[in-house]
Amino acid sequence: MKLAGKLLRGFRTFLSSKFLKDADGNFVDAELPRKYESLISAEEWEAFKSKRQDPVFQRISATNRERASSPAYPYRKGRVGYGRLEQSMVSIYKLRKQICSSYISFI
């Protein structure tokens, strides 16, 4: 379900940027694309257009765009990310220190 949600959001973003905006990023009143007529009804298309042009949606979108532009831990092609990487490094260091100290006390 998580993947389906991601794909749906990506499809909506694609539709909005490809068919509802011009080259400058301004909204245009576009008709339902013929390619997607079998997937999207005319009522759904009109609802989609009105939601994307809603001022509340625009404000939330701008806020999210601003937030995404300056992340606390920038993505650098890792599975864990920098926040958790530091956590795992500290835990490994503590574990090694504990193992070394218990080994020394055993001898």
Side-chain angles (χ1 to χ4, degrees), residues 51-68:
K51 181 176 179 179
R52 289 291 170 142
Q53 294 175 353
D54 185 37
V56 174
F57 181 85
Q58 293 293 321
R59 189 174 61 241
I60 291 171
S61 181
T63 303
N64 288 339
R65 221 179 357 265
E66 177 68 30
R67 186 180 309 126

Side-chain angles (χ1 to χ4, degrees), residues 23-73:
D24 298 328
N26 301 320
F27 278 97
V28 295
D29 191 27
E31 292 184 17
L32 176 62
R34 291 184 186 257
K35 183 176 182 179
Y36 301 109
E37 282 180 338
S38 62
L39 299 173
I40 304 168
S41 69
E43 296 83 26
E44 290 173 333
W45 180 251
E46 291 302 320
F48 177 73
K49 286 192 325 185
S50 65
K51 181 176 179 179
R52 289 291 170 142
Q53 294 175 353
D54 185 37
V56 174
F57 181 85
Q58 293 293 321
R59 189 174 61 241
I60 291 171
S61 181
T63 303
N64 288 339
R65 221 179 357 265
E66 177 68 30
R67 186 180 309 126
S69 68
S70 58
Y73 302 105

